Amino acid sequence: DMRNASDPYDEEEDDDNLRQIVVGICSMMKKSNSKPMTQIMERLCKFEYITVVIFPEDVILNEPVEKWPLCDCLISFHSKGFPLDKAVSYAKLRNPLLINDLHMQYFIQDRREVYRILQEEGIDLPRYAVLNRDPDRPKECNLVEGEDHVEVNGEVFHKPFVEKPVSAEDHNVYIYYPTPAGGGSQRLFRKIGSRSSVYSPESAVRKTGSYIYEEFMPTDGTDVKVYTVGPDYAHAEARKSPALDGKVERDSEGKEIRYPVMLTAMEKLVARKVCLAFKQTVCGFDLLRANGHSFVCDVNGFSFVKNSMKYYDDCAKVLGNMVMRELAPQLHIPWSIPMEAEDIPIVPTTSGTMMELRCVIAVIRHGDRTPKQKMKMEVFFDLFEKYGGYKSGKLKLKKPKQLQEVLDIARQLLSELGQHNDCEIEEKKSKLEQLKTVLEMYGHFSGINRKVQLTYLPNGQLKASSEEEDTLMSGPSLLLVLKWGGELTPAGRVQAEELGRAFRCMYPGGQGDYAGFPGCGLLRLHSTYRHDLKIYASDEGRVQMTAAAFAKGLLALEGELTPILVQMVKSANMNGLLDSDSDSLTDCQQRVKARLHDIMQKDQDFTEEDYQKLAPTSSPSLLNSMKIIQNPVRTCDKVYALIQSLTRQIRSRLEDPKSASLQLYHSETLELMLQRWSKLERDFRMKNGRYDISKIPDIYDCIKYDTQHNSSLGLEDTLELFRLSRALADIIIPQEYGISKLEKLDIASAYCLPLFRKIQLDLQRTHEDEAVNKLHPLYSRGVMSPGRHVRTRLYFTSESHVHSLLSIFRYGGLLNEGKDEQWKQAMDYLSAVTELNYMTQIVIMLYEDNNKDPSSEERFHVELHFSPGVKVCPDEENAPMGFGFRPASSQEDLGSLEDLSKDEPDHTALTEPLSIHRKSPLLANRKAGSMEVRTFRSLHTGLFSASFRGVSSSAPNLRELARAQRKKRGALCRNDFGIGPLFLCAAGFEGCSMVPSIYPLETLHNSLSLKQVDEFLSKVCESRNETLTKTMKCRGLELDFKGRKRGTGVDRCKKEFQRACAATLNDRPPIVEGINLGTVRGPESEDLKELDGMYGLSNLVRRRILY
């Protein structure tokens, strides 16, 4: 029986045989009448001896506690407007059984007390400090704010950090982002409509009020809410973090979408501790899963799960048994304890017998960027020692404070030099002026825009360049390298975001209820926590922003990139996983560059011998470029003359008052454009009349940028300069990574060995179900396959890693071209590709055929796909064409992917792509195996490939449509750089520039076994280890390093060897440095396991990574 009570319970109405246990509900009416409370109380009333009485709100607020209804058990909890003091008095007066302790609810309202109790109980929580702005406690109000950190009572918190009001009733929580990630803050608040947070450019912390400051926990955009019902029952649900993009995902009933997930044994112990420590039987708290641990960040007190019938059943059962166990003996009510376990064991389900996509691994180059620029000079000052440069022989300065110190020194030196006629001093002054000018650009510092590198030169030997031509200094010196530019452009962001959207089509889904919305399968998997996604990026700003933009498109997120970058993108600056140190070239690469320099300095047509020396692999793209060039010196003469012509034209425009103030793409001015080209003009032709071929990539970089983004200037001969510099670059760039096959493999393995080991572990761990968030099969509504998991690992990096990775696949012996026709066709296609441009992708897909025996090699098979990235060639019709995107999984004999159309439609997932794909009318229906596959027209047709044979269940069939529309779209724009160009004329983007589309993915091979790939990866890693071992034995060069003996050659080789195979060494040195770079987070637990396998990390190093 459940009823409202306005009168005290009359015990005389019942005799002893009919004695009922009265459970009183004392809370505000909104809470008492809520759906969860109603559902649970109705179930509780089904206990034979339990009656529920709801205290009227008017009685609670206006009547003395003596007139409140009587009860044996009290469920009472605080919410806005609730008189907690009166409830405490009532409990003292009537002494009922309390489901939730009332005194502890005072503590729950104060976050400081909550954190204190959690600490006392030994429960993990984020590192924090309390700022009490209380005149009576001045020692607790010490705040020092820096640009990218705050110091609270001596405790330093680097951004990103969290600022929480001490009152738990105040939900205005702010997250502050570091300057390299874009700065600003995300402001969280109680949900208003479909918003739960908003991004603000404000970076300064609040100056009034008391707050808790705590370390930001990287959770990959997911929060976990845990609900206890007693110490032995806990239900957990995951939701999108409100800090990610601030949009609340709601279902058709307007409820926030959450999905039940399983708790680990350790997390269940935490739930038990929280329940007991706060004496709250029914208790909700927030869990953050980050860095391999689970942290409690908030305790909410009384809280029910919404919209879960299974939870309602469980909760009523647990509460009813608890009440009966405590009160039945006292009231002489016959009742026996049920024998069945209340916490049902979890049994993960399988996905059936059909073939499944289990893992997607992609290595992707960053998007379109501004031209990179560099200036070198020899320097002597104390910054190198100040920041610990002598420990490693090199130093990278990116922080605003560090760059300001360099600028101050440059200004001081310029003022001291004054007017001198000495040529050498004038040259130094010129470089100092350039250093000063670049550092003063933009009016503020940002580590993404500029950086200074200092390298210690023990013998004063400077590298050959146009500025320091094989100069020998007397004694040790420092080489300063200033780098600027290379920022991701608005076009680059669009490219990455569009590719992310198109990338969804790699995944199953888009059929049945999802017809018309390709990619919804991925959104469905991700939103229901069956998608294990991790995104890694190198520490370069353009790479990290590319990764964030890609994630925004992939997961249909909204808003600014900064919150996405901080929460979704992990830094992979872990001993070369995705970063490469261009100053630490291998001996092989130095020899290759020297040979390239010699061949390209010959003032004669290429001879047959030159062809053999420069193109021993007989690559068609390389041979074609050599035919275009013929005589390298004469071609360089033409390029130099064209650059001179270009600088003259720009100067002429500057003198014209009509165009002097013209703003070019991405806020560049004509003056900055002139500086860019003038520097190349000075550097390309050296004082001795020879050409510095190391500048050829920079020349091509600049002309490609201006041809695409600044073509409206109408400068003459730009296409000829583009053609010639591209031909030269097509030789120089790929051949810098090795000329012969052995050299390519040697250099590639030096760059990519850690990444190769990581990929190998990604593939091996796929079937071990180590996902951080696992959907709970018993509590899942509308999800037919809760046990399914797809693992995605995305690695964003620069050109060097992409070249190296592809070289290993091409020349490492994965397959025999003579015996495998498909591989031969793939190698022919790769040989014809001239450039690995922005957004180049190498994609590995792993499938599982559940029809095969688990021990069979046929159980898992691997597919390898490739795209050369953005289309920039004006003569697009001459671009090499592959054989299409054709997963073997689409063929009938291999079965088909599980169809997500059986799942209950997810209205949120369905509505999102409407705005993304805009007009996507259904064009045709076709059958592929047992699946219905549809073809769509959208803006993404030029971004993704289609099947060549059959129709892929993993990607839309768009090739024929793209070809049919090529001429039609080409007519729309004479400067067409590819299929389906997009135009940017939107507000917020400087200028109006075309965004070239991206080459579709082409299948290199679709029938590799997992064992075959695993053995290949192991062979590559072992081969590199053997090479390093031999090199260590041969190299014994001892160099004096700042007055100390250091085996520089041996150390470098030994370090690389330890990095690659530390697990095999007896002494496992701490070789991984801390990873806090502002936007950086430490790796997850699984990543630590993987790193341990790669590097053999010590416990000390693990702590440094995590904290």
Side-chain angles (χ1 to χ4, degrees):
D1 179 28
M2 183 171 70
R3 55 192 171 88
N4 289 324
S6 56
D7 299 313
Y9 182 76
D10 190 356
E11 294 185 36
E12 296 178 359
E13 292 180 3
D14 300 296
D15 56 30
D16 290 340
N17 293 329
L18 299 177
R19 177 71 165 93
Q20 293 283 297
I21 296 174
V22 179
V23 176
I25 310 299
C26 180
S27 63
M28 301 301 284
M29 184 174 63
K30 182 179 178 182
K31 300 293 183 180
S32 299
N33 293 339
S34 67
K35 180 181 176 181
M37 180 69 82
T38 303
Q39 292 279 344
I40 292 168
M41 292 304 109
E42 285 178 353
R43 287 164 170 79
L44 194 60
C45 288
K46 292 181 181 179
F47 279 78
E48 184 180 357
Y49 297 100
I50 289 180
T51 297
V52 175
V53 175
I54 299 176
F55 291 19
E57 184 174 299
D58 183 62
V59 171
I60 295 171
L61 296 177
N62 301 315
E63 297 289 341
V65 295
E66 290 79 9
K67 293 187 177 181
W68 286 14
L70 295 177
C71 66
D72 303 300
C73 172
L74 181 66
I75 297 177
S76 181
F77 52 93
H78 178 267
S79 62
K80 186 176 181 180
F82 181 78
L84 184 58
D85 292 344
K86 292 180 72 176
V88 170
S89 299
Y90 174 83
K92 187 175 181 180
L93 175 68
R94 302 297 184 190
N95 195 30
L97 171 68
L98 294 178
I99 296 298
N100 279 29
D101 185 88
L102 294 171
H103 284 285
M104 291 300 294
Q105 293 183 32
Y106 289 110
F107 293 123
I108 291 174
Q109 295 176 53
D110 189 327
R111 288 191 172 99
R112 292 167 295 192
E113 293 299 320
V114 169
Y115 275 34
R116 177 185 62 79
I117 294 170
L118 290 172
Q119 265 191 327
E120 289 176 355
E121 294 297 322
I123 296 170
D124 284 345
L125 65 161
R127 183 175 65 90
Y128 77 99
V130 179
L131 181 73
N132 285 312
R133 286 195 170 98
D134 185 344
D136 298 329
R137 301 155 79 177
K139 293 183 178 179
E140 298 178 15
C141 187
N142 186 5
L143 175 71
V144 179
E145 184 174 9
E147 183 174 23
D148 272 332
H149 74 279
V150 290
E151 185 178 329
V152 182
N153 301 326
E155 190 84 14
V156 176
F157 295 88
H158 293 280
K159 293 180 180 179
F161 59 76
V162 183
E163 179 187 64
K164 295 179 176 178
V166 294
S167 170
E169 300 298 302
D170 189 342
H171 297 272
N172 294 293
V173 175
Y174 291 3
I175 301 171
Y176 295 90
Y177 300 125
T179 303
S185 55
Q186 193 79 9
R187 304 191 168 189
L188 282 63
F189 44 78
R190 268 198 181 276
K191 291 188 285 286
I192 302 174
S194 63
R195 304 298 303 177
S196 59
S197 72
V198 63
Y199 177 78
S200 167
E202 180 58 56
S203 294
V205 300
R206 287 173 277 190
K207 300 300 188 292
T208 57
S210 297
Y211 300 95
I212 289 177
Y213 290 89
E214 68 181 48
E215 215 166 26
F216 177 81
M217 296 283 107
T219 62
D220 292 325
T222 298
D223 285 354
V224 177
K225 310 279 283 188
V226 182
Y227 301 86
T228 70
V229 187
D232 299 318
Y233 181 95
H235 175 95
E237 292 188 340
R239 64 168 183 176
K240 185 174 75 172
S241 169
L244 190 56
D245 64 355
K247 182 179 180 183
V248 180
E249 305 291 354
R250 297 188 181 276
D251 60 18
S252 57
E253 298 177 0
K255 302 291 185 182
E256 182 180 16
I257 293 176
R258 298 179 179 181
Y259 286 94
V261 294
M262 291 185 285
L263 293 173
T264 65
M266 187 61 69
E267 288 169 339
K268 289 179 180 179
L269 181 61
V270 169
R272 179 182 180 86
K273 283 185 175 182
V274 169
C275 179
L276 295 174
F278 290 89
K279 301 178 182 178
Q280 307 292 297
T281 300
V282 179
C283 185
F285 65 92
D286 294 347
L287 203 62
L288 301 177
R289 288 169 164 173
N291 297 334
H293 293 276
S294 297
F295 302 87
V296 177
C297 67
D298 200 7
V299 177
N300 310 120
F302 193 96
S303 188
F304 280 145
V305 176
K306 302 174 181 65
N307 297 318
S308 173
M309 296 300 157
K310 183 72 171 64
Y311 170 81
Y312 297 155
D313 293 341
D314 291 347
C315 184
K317 181 180 177 183
V318 174
L319 287 176
N321 288 338
M322 186 183 300
V323 170
M324 295 299 295
R325 184 168 54 244
E326 293 293 329
L327 298 180
Q330 298 178 27
L331 302 176
H332 308 291
I333 295 173
W335 181 80
S336 59
I337 299 174
M339 296 303 294
E340 68 268 22
E342 293 176 0
D343 193 2
I344 304 170
I346 297 166
V347 183
T349 63
T350 63
S351 300
T353 59
M354 290 181 288
M355 192 172 202
E356 283 191 53
L357 174 65
R358 297 305 309 273
C359 182
V360 177
I361 300 170
V363 179
I364 304 172
R365 189 186 173 194
H366 59 76
D368 179 76
R369 56 162 171 75
T370 59
K372 291 193 296 183
Q373 299 181 72
K374 181 165 63 175
M375 186 271 291
K376 296 180 181 180
M377 63 183 296
E378 179 240 349
V379 294
F380 298 89
F381 50 81
D382 298 331
L383 275 182
F384 195 66
E385 185 170 8
K386 176 180 178 180
Y387 290 108
Y390 288 111
K391 294 179 182 178
S392 62
K394 52 195 161 199
L395 185 66
K396 187 183 293 184
L397 306 177
K398 296 178 68 175
K399 295 180 180 178
K401 180 183 177 183
Q402 295 171 333
L403 295 178
Q404 183 63 55
E405 289 184 72
V406 176
L407 176 57
D408 292 342
I409 291 171
R411 288 170 174 167
Q412 181 183 349
L413 289 173
L414 281 169
S415 64
E416 290 175 357
L417 287 173
Q419 297 295 326
H420 288 274
N421 296 324
D422 186 279
C423 294
E424 186 176 344
I425 292 180
E426 285 298 320
E427 186 177 349
K428 297 296 181 188
K429 280 181 62 181
S430 173
K431 291 181 179 179
L432 283 170
E433 286 284 2
Q434 187 168 22
L435 176 65
K436 173 176 171 290
T437 300
V438 172
L439 291 177
E440 289 176 341
M441 285 168 60
Y442 309 112
H444 62 88
F445 287 119
S446 171
I448 288 179
N449 294 330
R450 286 153 292 182
K451 63 183 174 184
V452 171
Q453 292 177 191
L454 293 169
T455 305
Y456 180 74
L457 305 171
N459 295 333
Q461 176 79 49
L462 296 182
K463 294 181 181 178
S465 78
S466 58
E467 296 167 341
E468 297 88 11
E469 297 169 21
D470 301 308
T471 310
L472 272 171
M473 296 293 178
S474 56
S477 64
L478 289 177
L479 176 66
L480 180 146
V481 181
L482 172 66
K483 296 181 178 180
W484 70 100
E487 304 167 57
L488 190 69
T489 64
R493 293 190 181 198
V494 172
Q495 288 165 356
E497 192 173 338
E498 289 291 308
L499 183 62
R501 287 173 181 156
F503 207 80
R504 296 180 206 159
C505 300
M506 296 285 294
Y507 298 80
Q511 301 87 32
D513 291 327
Y514 300 97
F517 307 103
C520 272
L522 180 276
L523 294 178
R524 174 71 172 163
L525 278 172
H526 194 79
S527 67
T528 54
Y529 300 94
R530 294 174 291 168
H531 182 218
D532 176 15
L533 169 69
K534 284 189 172 56
I535 302 173
Y536 297 87
S538 65
D539 70 346
E540 293 174 316
R542 57 181 169 273
V543 179
Q544 295 196 350
M545 284 301 182
T546 298
F550 186 96
K552 181 179 179 181
L554 181 72
L555 302 178
L557 301 175
E558 296 181 356
E560 299 294 324
L561 292 186
T562 297
I564 300 170
L565 170 62
V566 172
Q567 297 185 67
M568 295 297 297
V569 180
K570 302 174 188 301
S571 170
N573 187 20
M574 306 169 190
N575 287 314
L577 184 63
L578 292 173
D579 291 287
S580 56
D581 185 357
S582 59
D583 293 325
S584 299
L585 302 176
T586 64
D587 287 346
C588 180
Q589 198 162 11
Q590 289 172 341
R591 291 195 303 270
V592 165
K593 287 197 171 188
R595 276 165 50 209
L596 268 176
H597 194 271
D598 291 340
I599 296 172
M600 298 299 288
Q601 294 293 348
K602 291 181 179 179
D603 189 3
Q604 64 181 37
D605 288 356
F606 285 128
T607 64
E608 190 62 37
E609 183 183 358
D610 292 329
Y611 275 91
Q612 290 297 325
K613 285 182 178 179
L614 202 53
T617 59
S618 300
S619 167
S621 61
L622 194 58
L623 296 176
N624 290 337
S625 296
M626 292 181 72
K627 289 175 184 176
I628 293 172
I629 292 169
Q630 294 183 342
N631 183 319
V633 174
R634 291 287 172 262
T635 302
C636 287
D637 287 338
K638 293 177 185 177
V639 168
Y640 184 67
L642 289 168
I643 294 174
Q644 287 180 312
S645 171
L646 193 60
T647 54
R648 283 195 299 269
Q649 292 179 67
I650 299 171
R651 286 192 184 93
S652 176
R653 295 294 179 89
L654 271 171
E655 293 169 1
D656 184 354
K658 294 180 181 179
S659 58
S661 61
L662 180 67
Q663 192 175 52
L664 306 179
Y665 182 71
H666 202 41
S667 299
E668 191 178 33
T669 62
L670 278 172
E671 186 175 358
L672 289 173
M673 185 183 186
L674 178 61
Q675 288 179 12
R676 182 159 48 88
W677 281 107
S678 296
K679 185 177 186 303
L680 285 174
E681 182 182 347
R682 289 193 307 271
D683 296 349
F684 186 40
R685 190 166 186 170
M686 298 183 286
K687 295 174 182 176
N688 58 12
R690 303 174 75 191
Y691 290 103
D692 182 359
I693 65 165
S694 69
K695 299 299 176 186
I696 287 172
D698 297 336
I699 294 169
Y700 174 58
D701 194 22
C702 278
I703 193 60
K704 180 169 69 173
Y705 179 84
D706 287 331
T707 303
Q708 178 182 333
H709 296 300
N710 293 322
S711 58
S712 59
L713 285 175
L715 299 172
E716 297 177 359
D717 298 324
T718 53
L719 288 180
E720 179 64 8
L721 179 55
F722 176 90
R723 186 182 72 87
L724 294 176
S725 61
R726 179 174 187 175
L728 288 166
D730 286 346
I731 295 176
I732 300 299
I733 294 174
Q735 298 304 81
E736 282 184 342
Y737 299 98
I739 296 176
S740 69
K741 291 182 180 181
L742 288 177
E743 289 169 343
K744 288 179 184 293
L745 282 174
D746 185 77
I747 294 170
S749 58
Y751 274 107
C752 279
L753 187 59
L755 180 57
F756 248 66
R757 285 191 176 276
K758 182 69 166 63
I759 290 172
Q760 185 179 26
L761 287 164
D762 289 339
L763 291 170
Q764 289 173 346
R765 294 180 185 275
T766 293
H767 48 281
E768 296 178 14
D769 278 333
E770 293 187 349
V772 175
N773 294 308
K774 296 172 70 175
L775 194 66
H776 199 308
L778 296 176
Y779 293 83
S780 305
R781 273 193 322 130
V783 179
M784 297 293 291
S785 53
R788 163 197 271 179
H789 259 301
V790 178
R791 179 189 185 102
T792 299
R793 294 291 179 269
L794 304 175
Y795 300 97
F796 289 84
T797 184
S798 54
E799 188 177 20
S800 58
H801 271 72
V802 176
H803 269 287
S804 301
L805 193 64
L806 201 59
S807 290
I808 292 177
F809 279 119
R810 290 178 68 181
Y811 306 116
L814 175 60
L815 291 166
N816 188 327
E817 292 181 40
K819 297 180 180 179
D820 192 309
E821 182 62 27
Q822 188 183 15
W823 190 243
K824 182 180 184 305
Q825 291 175 345
M827 295 302 98
D828 291 343
Y829 164 66
L830 290 178
S831 295
V833 171
T834 58
E835 179 180 3
L836 304 184
N837 203 5
Y838 306 130
M839 304 310 303
T840 292
Q841 309 138 58
I842 300 171
V843 180
I844 303 169
M845 301 176 72
L846 174 67
Y847 290 88
E848 181 177 8
D849 188 347
N850 292 296
N851 292 317
K852 303 296 182 182
D853 187 89
S855 60
S856 169
E857 281 190 39
E858 298 177 353
R859 175 79 175 194
F860 293 95
H861 92 272
V862 179
E863 298 169 0
L864 187 60
H865 310 286
F866 166 77
S867 164
V870 171
K871 302 176 181 178
V872 296
C873 180
D875 55 341
E876 192 59 50
E877 295 295 338
N878 297 327
M881 296 292 287
F883 291 86
F885 183 77
R886 53 191 200 289
S889 52
S890 66
Q891 299 170 13
E892 291 187 31
D893 60 329
L894 288 175
S896 62
L897 296 170
E898 179 186 2
D899 191 349
L900 282 175
S901 62
K902 295 178 182 177
D903 284 352
E904 178 182 295
D906 187 322
H907 296 279
T908 302
L910 283 173
T911 54
E912 277 305 307
L914 283 172
S915 60
I916 296 167
H917 291 271
R918 299 169 182 92
K919 298 178 181 179
S920 302
L922 189 63
L923 295 183
N925 289 343
R926 289 205 280 173
K927 289 280 184 175
S930 62
M931 294 184 60
E932 185 178 2
V933 181
R934 292 168 166 84
T935 311
F936 308 96
R937 181 194 304 271
S938 76
L939 284 177
H940 305 148
T941 53
L943 290 174
F944 220 78
S945 180
S947 304
F948 180 73
R949 290 178 291 171
V951 179
S952 165
S953 56
S954 303
N957 186 359
L958 302 170
R959 175 170 294 280
E960 293 180 6
L961 179 62
R963 283 174 173 165
Q965 293 185 350
R966 178 177 293 176
K967 294 182 180 179
K968 185 184 299 183
R969 292 186 175 183
L972 296 176
C973 177
R974 294 182 181 178
N975 295 324
D976 187 14
F977 279 81
I979 301 173
L982 302 173
F983 293 88
L984 279 183
C985 299
F989 286 149
E990 307 91 336
C992 181
S993 173
M994 181 173 58
V995 181
S997 56
I998 298 172
Y999 278 107
L1001 273 177
E1002 304 286 355
T1003 298
L1004 301 182
H1005 210 282
N1006 62 5
S1007 58
L1008 299 163
S1009 71
L1010 178 59
K1011 181 182 178 183
Q1012 191 177 9
V1013 174
D1014 187 64
E1015 289 176 350
F1016 165 71
L1017 295 173
S1018 296
K1019 183 184 72 173
V1020 169
C1021 296
E1022 289 169 6
S1023 174
R1024 180 61 184 167
N1025 291 343
E1026 289 174 5
T1027 303
L1028 290 170
T1029 306
K1030 292 176 183 177
T1031 308
M1032 287 175 65
K1033 292 177 180 177
C1034 296
R1035 294 179 66 179
L1037 181 62
E1038 293 284 336
L1039 295 175
D1040 180 66
F1041 189 76
K1042 200 175 187 289
R1044 291 172 295 182
K1045 291 289 184 182
R1046 281 179 69 96
T1048 307
V1050 174
D1051 284 349
R1052 180 183 299 164
C1053 188
K1054 184 177 180 181
K1055 183 177 179 181
E1056 185 179 353
F1057 181 78
Q1058 290 168 341
R1059 181 181 70 193
C1061 56
T1064 64
L1065 299 179
N1066 292 325
D1067 55 336
R1068 299 185 176 185
I1071 55 172
V1072 176
E1073 297 299 325
I1075 313 195
N1076 184 11
L1077 296 174
T1079 66
V1080 217
R1081 272 78 52 211
E1084 302 288 335
S1085 59
E1086 84 170 81
D1087 305 315
L1088 277 178
K1089 293 176 186 175
E1090 294 165 356
L1091 285 169
D1092 195 14
M1094 292 153 59
Y1095 307 129
L1097 305 181
S1098 66
N1099 289 330
L1100 171 64
V1101 180
R1102 292 169 187 271
R1103 289 196 295 272
R1104 291 174 69 188
I1105 291 176
L1106 289 175
Y1107 303 111

